[in-house]
Amino acid sequence: MRITRRIALGLSAAALALTIGGATAQEKLRIGTEGAYPPFNNLTADGKLEGFDIDIARALCEEMGVECEFVTQDWDGIIPALQAGKFDAIIASMSITEERKKQVDFTEKYYNTPPALVVMKDSDIAGAMAEDLAGKVIGAQAATTHAQFAEATFPDSDVKVYPTAEEYKLDMANGRLDAVIDDVIVLQEWLGTADGECCRVLDTLTPVEEIYGEGIGIAVRQGEDELREKFNAAIQAIRDNGTYKEINDKYFSFDAYGS
């Protein structure tokens, strides 16, 4: 009888430990981000993450009742790292595209802003059509929709790709590129710095949906429908309760969510 009671107590303790362990795991959500894409996500000199993506992630975690733990990851390895379980979701300005849907599942969009071209202030490039950029060297970040768009839209240009946005900005500022392509907000942020004084926005571009997809979403591992739907509900909640607008207005003078 005493032995049976001890076994029962032991099983109860084990069950309680498992319950606590499960709850603890659910209370912390690991978010993968790049940390090199201001003003959306950026790692400061003292090692802190900041930006629109980061603030949105924190707001979503708060809405979901979980703690955000951020993990920085190079862009070109961010999807494999998610698949390998290094983190639970990607919040890093990732476009929802058909190609990426073959590897991950996406939430609904949480913002949607257009791409743009930047050139030197004294550039003689007159427009943003393919013929205007023929023979020119265009910089873009590798493994992005912007690089894909440039290759498809400017077939007579030399599209040079870089591991990070900071690297193409450096080459542009030093006159090694004729133009660069990226999100208009990222480029405008750069133009407002000392390093970006070299350049100006040539034009914003109409995104091709086949390349840019439906906007920027949160990526989760395929089949993790419960987590994806929790994010979707939280995105809608912060849109409805004004939190999204507070974060949006901290960074932009317009609604980045788009139409």
Side-chain angles (χ1 to χ4, degrees), residues 30-259:
R30 296 166 300 162
I31 306 295
T33 196
E34 184 186 12
Y37 197 60
F40 293 102
N41 59 80
N42 187 51
L43 197 61
T44 64
D46 58 355
K48 294 179 181 177
L49 278 166
E50 62 180 13
F52 180 76
D53 286 332
I54 307 306
D55 288 356
I56 289 291
R58 289 188 174 121
L60 294 175
C61 285
E62 183 176 352
E63 184 66 35
M64 294 161 65
V66 298
E67 177 190 347
C68 273
E69 179 183 294
F70 291 98
V71 180
T72 55
Q73 170 68 47
D74 290 345
W75 178 257
D76 59 0
I78 203 164
I79 287 179
L82 172 68
Q83 293 169 326
K86 187 174 179 180
F87 32 79
D88 305 302
I90 297 170
I91 303 183
S93 291
M94 180 172 283
S95 297
I96 304 165
T97 67
E98 292 303 317
E99 188 63 31
R100 288 176 179 146
K101 284 179 182 178
K102 297 174 184 176
Q103 304 175 75
V104 297
D105 288 343
F106 282 100
T107 64
E108 301 296 324
K109 70 172 183 178
Y110 66 95
Y111 83 85
N112 193 14
T113 51
L117 280 170
V118 156
V119 295
M120 299 294 286
K121 281 185 176 176
D122 60 356
S123 174
D124 60 359
I125 298 174
M129 303 297 288
E131 55 268 28
D132 298 311
L133 278 298
K136 306 296 185 183
V137 183
I138 304 173
Q141 186 175 0
T144 63
T145 50
H146 302 298
Q148 187 181 350
F149 178 84
E151 289 166 352
T153 308
F154 307 111
D156 297 320
S157 302
D158 178 12
V159 179
K160 186 175 181 181
V161 297
Y162 296 80
T164 69
E166 297 308 311
E167 289 169 270
Y168 78 60
K169 291 173 186 175
L170 181 62
D171 265 10
M172 186 69 195
N174 289 326
R176 291 191 280 266
L177 296 170
D178 297 299
V180 293
I181 183 172
D182 209 326
D183 186 282
V184 65
I185 304 302
V186 171
L187 294 172
Q188 287 176 338
E189 173 88 358
W190 173 52
L191 297 182
T193 68
D195 291 339
E197 289 179 353
C198 59
C199 303
R200 61 181 171 86
V201 173
L202 175 67
D203 204 355
T204 55
L205 306 167
T206 302
V208 175
E209 188 168 338
E210 289 77 11
I211 294 175
Y212 282 99
E214 308 148 35
I216 303 299
I218 299 167
V220 299
R221 284 181 287 275
Q222 288 184 331
E224 296 196 349
D225 298 337
E226 184 179 354
L227 178 59
R228 177 174 54 82
E229 288 309 314
K230 283 181 178 178
F231 271 123
N232 280 334
I235 291 168
Q236 188 60 54
I238 66 170
R239 287 285 294 170
D240 291 342
N241 66 23
T243 302
Y244 185 97
K245 186 177 187 306
E246 288 179 16
I247 297 169
N248 183 94
D249 293 353
K250 176 180 172 182
Y251 294 95
F252 316 124
S253 59
F254 58 92
D255 186 0
Y257 189 79
S259 56

Side-chain angles (χ1 to χ4, degrees), residues 11-27:
L11 289 171
S12 297
L16 181 61
L18 284 171
T19 301
I20 292 172
T24 302
Q26 289 175 353
E27 285 169 7

